[in-house]
Amino acid sequence: MKIIIEENKQQASKKIFQLFREEINSGSKVFGLATGSTPEDFYKLVTESDLDLTKSISINLDEYVGLKFSDPQSYHYFMKEHLFLKKPFAESYLPNGLSSNLENETKRYDKIITENPIDWQILGIGRNGHIGFNEPGSSFNSQTHIADLTESTIKANARFFKKESDVPKKAISMGIASIMKSKKIVLAAFGSEKADAVKKFIMGPITENVPASILQKHQDVTVVLDEQAAAALNEK
Ligand code: GLP
């Protein structure tokens, strides 16, 4: 695991953009994308760049169950606003959290991932160590599935909603096994509220209680941190 520590989120986002540009230039086609506040500045740099993504494919990690695509809190909406309207991809996939048959939707999504192996995956991390919506306790063997959000995630994500009770309780998420199949993974974490999760997933035991800890076993992971998120790495 390669760890890059930058002074702040802006610098770190520039670094991620640089890694993304290198990846495009080296011919990679399929990009796994994430939502949340972490990749926002990176997406802004992409939209301001001269990169051409019209031959690339994007596959997002997750989506809430039950939110309309037009709902500003849906991940469909987030991706359009932050990236796709300004930088369209040849094809962009997100799980459909409105499907009347969610079980079939998980299978459809796994098929998409199998047919379009991800070259480069960007990940954020939850305060409890989750990746995508793979909450603590999720099986390391999981494929795309319906996930129950934990209390901690509902609380953390409530900042984007009018009230906590508006946060959906379920999401459809790429599984840990699907994420681990990506050829390269870049995990970003910014801010002091991520410091504990960062320390645990990098230095702690590999355990399903800290979903991101499985990344210790992946052969090509780069972790990009700001100083605050990296703060606990030197503690005993
Ligand atoms: C959400 C998303 C994750 C994201 C995480 C952190 O629950 N499902 O993909 O990485 O929270 O979000 P943020 O970047 O806003 O801290």
Side-chain angles (χ1 to χ4, degrees), residues 9 33-40 61-64 75 78 122-128 130-135 149 153-154 156-157 159-160 171 173 188-190 193-194:
K9 183 181 175 184
L33 301 180
T35 52
S37 53
T38 305
E40 274 179 10
L61 280 173
D62 49 12
E63 175 59 288
Y64 288 115
Y75 289 171
F78 176 101
I122 176 85
L123 290 179
I125 184 169
R127 296 172 200 192
N128 60 7
H130 76 241
I131 47 177
F133 269 123
N134 294 282
E135 297 279 28
L149 273 55
T153 299
I154 291 171
N157 290 1
R159 69 190 193 279
F160 300 115
S173 179
F190 310 135
E193 66 278 7
K194 299 288 173 71

Side-chain angles (χ1 to χ4, degrees), residues 35-77:
T35 52
S37 53
T38 305
E40 274 179 10
D41 287 2
F42 158 55
Y43 292 152
K44 186 152 189 288
L45 292 169
V46 175
T47 60
E48 291 165 356
S49 75
D50 57 359
L51 287 180
D52 176 14
L53 303 179
T54 56
K55 293 189 179 64
S56 304
I57 292 173
S58 71
I59 306 185
N60 261 77
L61 280 173
D62 49 12
E63 175 59 288
Y64 288 115
V65 166
L67 291 191
K68 291 199 183 115
F69 298 169
S70 58
D71 187 315
Q73 305 313 329
S74 77
Y75 289 171
H76 277 78
Y77 188 97

Side-chain angles (χ1 to χ4, degrees), residues 47-113:
T47 60
E48 291 165 356
S49 75
D50 57 359
L51 287 180
D52 176 14
L53 303 179
T54 56
K55 293 189 179 64
S56 304
I57 292 173
S58 71
I59 306 185
N60 261 77
L61 280 173
D62 49 12
E63 175 59 288
Y64 288 115
V65 166
L67 291 191
K68 291 199 183 115
F69 298 169
S70 58
D71 187 315
Q73 305 313 329
S74 77
Y75 289 171
H76 277 78
Y77 188 97
F78 176 101
M79 290 309 301
K80 264 196 184 160
E81 281 298 302
H82 288 90
L83 191 58
F84 299 154
L85 285 177
K86 292 180 195 136
K87 281 281 176 194
F89 285 66
E91 202 73 64
S92 282
Y93 299 104
L94 278 105
N96 178 6
L98 291 172
S99 168
S100 55
N101 188 333
L102 289 169
E103 218 27 70
N104 279 356
E105 175 59 11
T106 60
K107 295 196 181 92
R108 181 189 77 93
Y109 213 65
D110 278 334
K111 193 159 172 271
I112 290 169
I113 300 165

